Structure formats: structure tokens, C-alpha cells
Amino acid sequence: MSITSQSVRYGVTLAGTGGVNVVRAVLAEAREAASHGVDSVWTGQRLDHDAVGLAGLVGAQVPGIDVGVSAVPVFGRHPLLVGSQAQTAQAATGGRFHLAVALGAPPIVEQAFGLAWERPVARLREFLTALGPLLRGEPVEFEGELLTARSVLPTHVPGAARTPLLVAAMAPRALRVTGELADGTVPYLAGPRALAEHIVPRWPRRRGTAGSAGGRPGAGRGHHRPGRPPHHGRGARLLHPVRVLPQGAGAQRHRGPRRPGADR
């Protein structure tokens, strides 16, 4: 069945451009979106507001709508702190929060953070490996070539359900890592043909539970909503950036263009 012939859910990105207070503006936009029957609202991470905290606040204040962040760059962040943020947002929203991470863009990484754009896919793999257990409420003990993460203090947030882990990935190697270690991907400006010919064929098909060794993202072509059982046997979970998704998928418009050098 094609992606356009299935029942769909809709989501929008919140801009927060109205008024002088971005938090109040975003809350007003979220309430308006919910009143029109939108299924999910998303915030992007920039260098001003904190997207995870803002999404958690939206979910706590606007009931019945999924919230998500797309995407938090892995450069300049640490899995322990991102896991803490995400679990806090998940507890605040009662299980309606979705986290997407991304490699980011070389100009931001190098100019704003002062970090070298080196081995991005390797960094993504290590970041996801360390972050996955934390989002499941488990302690982590990880030492890689680029990252170290250990739960030397409690890392589980009481009241936080398992947080879905997504990645803004489109290049082949990044997609393979995402398929191995995350629950889904958030492709940018990818229509049904791009999904069918470029993204889904590169998605690993494995057995088990997504996000663990041998895991498999098995919820059709959409990331499943927390509390809803995934539809097994349909291949990869994908978040469709033009806001047309299969039933059970969160939706959003991802902001940035494809990142140069992302497939390294």
C-alpha cells in the first residue's frame, strides 16, 4: 500500500514568532493547532530557546497532542544531559514526547561550538549507543573512541516512560546507523518516491526490539505513538516531513537542508 493511500496524521512546526514572549507565543500556536485537530507539534533546536524544555512545557499545557523536537545536534551535547532533558519532558507530557537528534551543520559545529567536524557518523553511532539505554530508563556504561557515558549518579527520571529516539538522517551511512540504534528517521523534504527508492531500501531489517542489539524498527512507515502498539512487519518507521504520514506517525517540517559531509 502506498504512503499516500493510507490514513494519515498531521503535525506542524511551532515558530513562536508572535508576541514578545516566545514561550507564550509557542503555547498559543500549540493550542490553536490542537483546536484544528493537528496530531503533533514540533520545535526545532536553535541557539536561542531550549527546544526540549519548550516541547515539554507545551505537552504539559496542551493535552491530547503529541510533541517532539527535531532535531538536537549531537555535536556540542552529551548523551547523559540530553537523556536527562528528554526524560524530564517525557514525564511532563505523560508519555507524548518524541526526541530527534541530528549531526547538525558543519558551519554551526565549527564556528559556533568551536569543534572540528570530524567522523560525524562515528560520533552519531556512539551518541545513539549511549543515549538509547537512558531513554529506556536504564543506566549506561559506555566508553567509545569519541564519547564516554557512565551512570555514576541516578539517571532515570521517575514518571518518564520510554522516549522514542529518532534521527534526522538521509545519507546512506547515517541511515544505516539510525536503523540499527534508533526508532525512526525524520527525512527532510522526502516525498513518497524518495522514501520508497532512497530511504526505505537502505533501512536495516532486523528482528527484536528497536533501539537494542538485534532490534528492529517495525512500526510500518511511521513512528508509533507512545502507548500504541506498533504495526509489525512493515519495515522502517519514518516521519514524513511534508506532514502527510501513515496512521500512528508523528509529523513535522524539518528546518535545515541536508548537511554537507553527513555521510562520513
PDB file of all heavy atoms in Angstrom, residues 230-243:
ATOM      1  N   PRO A 230       3.010  -0.969  17.993  1.00  0.00           N
ATOM      2  CA  PRO A 230       3.494  -0.800  16.625  1.00  0.00           C
ATOM      3  C   PRO A 230       2.884  -1.835  15.707  1.00  0.00           C
ATOM      4  O   PRO A 230       2.478  -2.902  16.137  1.00  0.00           O
ATOM      5  CB  PRO A 230       5.007  -0.998  16.757  1.00  0.00           C
ATOM      6  CG  PRO A 230       5.165  -1.848  17.970  1.00  0.00           C
ATOM      7  CD  PRO A 230       4.044  -1.460  18.905  1.00  0.00           C
ATOM      8  N   HIS A 231       2.826  -1.531  14.421  1.00  0.00           N
ATOM      9  CA  HIS A 231       2.330  -2.456  13.409  1.00  0.00           C
ATOM     10  C   HIS A 231       3.524  -3.198  12.847  1.00  0.00           C
ATOM     11  O   HIS A 231       4.275  -2.680  12.041  1.00  0.00           O
ATOM     12  CB  HIS A 231       1.593  -1.692  12.298  1.00  0.00           C
ATOM     13  CG  HIS A 231       0.507  -0.812  12.832  1.00  0.00           C
ATOM     14  ND1 HIS A 231      -0.673  -1.305  13.319  1.00  0.00           N
ATOM     15  CD2 HIS A 231       0.447   0.522  12.993  1.00  0.00           C
ATOM     16  CE1 HIS A 231      -1.447  -0.306  13.732  1.00  0.00           C
ATOM     17  NE2 HIS A 231      -0.773   0.812  13.548  1.00  0.00           N
ATOM     18  N   HIS A 232       3.718  -4.425  13.284  1.00  0.00           N
ATOM     19  CA  HIS A 232       4.932  -5.151  12.923  1.00  0.00           C
ATOM     20  C   HIS A 232       4.885  -5.634  11.484  1.00  0.00           C
ATOM     21  O   HIS A 232       3.825  -5.819  10.898  1.00  0.00           O
ATOM     22  CB  HIS A 232       5.101  -6.341  13.869  1.00  0.00           C
ATOM     23  CG  HIS A 232       5.373  -5.921  15.274  1.00  0.00           C
ATOM     24  ND1 HIS A 232       6.593  -5.443  15.672  1.00  0.00           N
ATOM     25  CD2 HIS A 232       4.562  -5.852  16.360  1.00  0.00           C
ATOM     26  CE1 HIS A 232       6.546  -5.136  16.962  1.00  0.00           C
ATOM     27  NE2 HIS A 232       5.333  -5.368  17.401  1.00  0.00           N
ATOM     28  N   GLY A 233       6.093  -5.828  10.947  1.00  0.00           N
ATOM     29  CA  GLY A 233       6.222  -6.447   9.636  1.00  0.00           C
ATOM     30  C   GLY A 233       6.122  -5.497   8.475  1.00  0.00           C
ATOM     31  O   GLY A 233       5.997  -5.899   7.339  1.00  0.00           O
ATOM     32  N   ARG A 234       6.156  -4.174   8.715  1.00  0.00           N
ATOM     33  CA  ARG A 234       6.011  -3.227   7.627  1.00  0.00           C
ATOM     34  C   ARG A 234       7.293  -2.506   7.273  1.00  0.00           C
ATOM     35  O   ARG A 234       7.287  -1.594   6.473  1.00  0.00           O
ATOM     36  CB  ARG A 234       4.948  -2.189   7.994  1.00  0.00           C
ATOM     37  CG  ARG A 234       3.537  -2.740   8.045  1.00  0.00           C
ATOM     38  CD  ARG A 234       3.066  -3.122   6.656  1.00  0.00           C
ATOM     39  NE  ARG A 234       1.628  -3.331   6.669  1.00  0.00           N
ATOM     40  CZ  ARG A 234       0.765  -2.549   6.028  1.00  0.00           C
ATOM     41  NH1 ARG A 234       1.198  -1.526   5.349  1.00  0.00           N
ATOM     42  NH2 ARG A 234      -0.520  -2.812   6.063  1.00  0.00           N
ATOM     43  N   GLY A 235       8.425  -2.838   7.911  1.00  0.00           N
ATOM     44  CA  GLY A 235       9.666  -2.161   7.570  1.00  0.00           C
ATOM     45  C   GLY A 235       9.957  -1.007   8.489  1.00  0.00           C
ATOM     46  O   GLY A 235       9.651  -1.031   9.660  1.00  0.00           O
ATOM     47  N   ALA A 236      10.535   0.060   7.952  1.00  0.00           N
ATOM     48  CA  ALA A 236      11.056   1.143   8.773  1.00  0.00           C
ATOM     49  C   ALA A 236       9.959   2.064   9.257  1.00  0.00           C
ATOM     50  O   ALA A 236       8.939   2.243   8.610  1.00  0.00           O
ATOM     51  CB  ALA A 236      12.069   1.951   7.962  1.00  0.00           C
ATOM     52  N   ARG A 237      10.221   2.694  10.407  1.00  0.00           N
ATOM     53  CA  ARG A 237       9.375   3.789  10.852  1.00  0.00           C
ATOM     54  C   ARG A 237       9.947   5.083  10.301  1.00  0.00           C
ATOM     55  O   ARG A 237      11.114   5.363  10.478  1.00  0.00           O
ATOM     56  CB  ARG A 237       9.380   3.889  12.382  1.00  0.00           C
ATOM     57  CG  ARG A 237       8.773   2.714  13.083  1.00  0.00           C
ATOM     58  CD  ARG A 237       8.826   2.972  14.573  1.00  0.00           C
ATOM     59  NE  ARG A 237       8.582   1.746  15.287  1.00  0.00           N
ATOM     60  CZ  ARG A 237       8.988   1.524  16.511  1.00  0.00           C
ATOM     61  NH1 ARG A 237       9.665   2.424  17.143  1.00  0.00           N
ATOM     62  NH2 ARG A 237       8.716   0.378  17.113  1.00  0.00           N
ATOM     63  N   LEU A 238       9.105   5.876   9.671  1.00  0.00           N
ATOM     64  CA  LEU A 238       9.586   7.129   9.099  1.00  0.00           C
ATOM     65  C   LEU A 238       8.652   8.257   9.479  1.00  0.00           C
ATOM     66  O   LEU A 238       7.437   8.097   9.447  1.00  0.00           O
ATOM     67  CB  LEU A 238       9.661   7.027   7.566  1.00  0.00           C
ATOM     68  CG  LEU A 238      10.566   5.941   7.004  1.00  0.00           C
ATOM     69  CD1 LEU A 238      10.386   5.853   5.515  1.00  0.00           C
ATOM     70  CD2 LEU A 238      12.009   6.235   7.343  1.00  0.00           C
ATOM     71  N   LEU A 239       9.216   9.385   9.812  1.00  0.00           N
ATOM     72  CA  LEU A 239       8.437  10.595   9.972  1.00  0.00           C
ATOM     73  C   LEU A 239       8.527  11.374   8.674  1.00  0.00           C
ATOM     74  O   LEU A 239       9.607  11.691   8.210  1.00  0.00           O
ATOM     75  CB  LEU A 239       8.992  11.440  11.122  1.00  0.00           C
ATOM     76  CG  LEU A 239       8.738  10.872  12.519  1.00  0.00           C
ATOM     77  CD1 LEU A 239       9.419  11.762  13.538  1.00  0.00           C
ATOM     78  CD2 LEU A 239       7.256  10.813  12.787  1.00  0.00           C
ATOM     79  N   HIS A 240       7.388  11.676   8.094  1.00  0.00           N
ATOM     80  CA  HIS A 240       7.356  12.263   6.758  1.00  0.00           C
ATOM     81  C   HIS A 240       7.315  13.781   6.857  1.00  0.00           C
ATOM     82  O   HIS A 240       6.411  14.353   7.440  1.00  0.00           O
ATOM     83  CB  HIS A 240       6.117  11.750   6.033  1.00  0.00           C
ATOM     84  CG  HIS A 240       6.183  11.962   4.563  1.00  0.00           C
ATOM     85  ND1 HIS A 240       5.690  13.077   3.973  1.00  0.00           N
ATOM     86  CD2 HIS A 240       6.706  11.212   3.566  1.00  0.00           C
ATOM     87  CE1 HIS A 240       5.874  13.002   2.659  1.00  0.00           C
ATOM     88  NE2 HIS A 240       6.485  11.892   2.408  1.00  0.00           N
ATOM     89  N   PRO A 241       8.313  14.484   6.314  1.00  0.00           N
ATOM     90  CA  PRO A 241       8.461  15.907   6.567  1.00  0.00           C
ATOM     91  C   PRO A 241       7.474  16.813   5.860  1.00  0.00           C
ATOM     92  O   PRO A 241       7.441  17.990   6.122  1.00  0.00           O
ATOM     93  CB  PRO A 241       9.881  16.195   6.087  1.00  0.00           C
ATOM     94  CG  PRO A 241      10.114  15.177   5.034  1.00  0.00           C
ATOM     95  CD  PRO A 241       9.381  13.949   5.478  1.00  0.00           C
ATOM     96  N   VAL A 242       6.658  16.284   4.941  1.00  0.00           N
ATOM     97  CA  VAL A 242       5.674  17.141   4.299  1.00  0.00           C
ATOM     98  C   VAL A 242       4.332  17.041   5.006  1.00  0.00           C
ATOM     99  O   VAL A 242       3.312  17.420   4.470  1.00  0.00           O
ATOM    100  CB  VAL A 242       5.515  16.796   2.794  1.00  0.00           C
ATOM    101  CG1 VAL A 242       6.785  17.112   2.054  1.00  0.00           C
ATOM    102  CG2 VAL A 242       5.113  15.346   2.581  1.00  0.00           C
ATOM    103  N   ARG A 243       4.359  16.489   6.206  1.00  0.00           N
ATOM    104  CA  ARG A 243       3.221  16.459   7.105  1.00  0.00           C
ATOM    105  C   ARG A 243       2.127  15.507   6.671  1.00  0.00           C
ATOM    106  O   ARG A 243       0.971  15.669   7.045  1.00  0.00           O
ATOM    107  CB  ARG A 243       2.638  17.866   7.315  1.00  0.00           C
ATOM    108  CG  ARG A 243       3.619  18.823   7.960  1.00  0.00           C
ATOM    109  CD  ARG A 243       3.019  20.185   8.076  1.00  0.00           C
ATOM    110  NE  ARG A 243       2.741  20.765   6.777  1.00  0.00           N
ATOM    111  CZ  ARG A 243       1.803  21.657   6.552  1.00  0.00           C
ATOM    112  NH1 ARG A 243       1.039  22.072   7.520  1.00  0.00           N
ATOM    113  NH2 ARG A 243       1.627  22.145   5.336  1.00  0.00           N
TER     114      ARG A 243
END
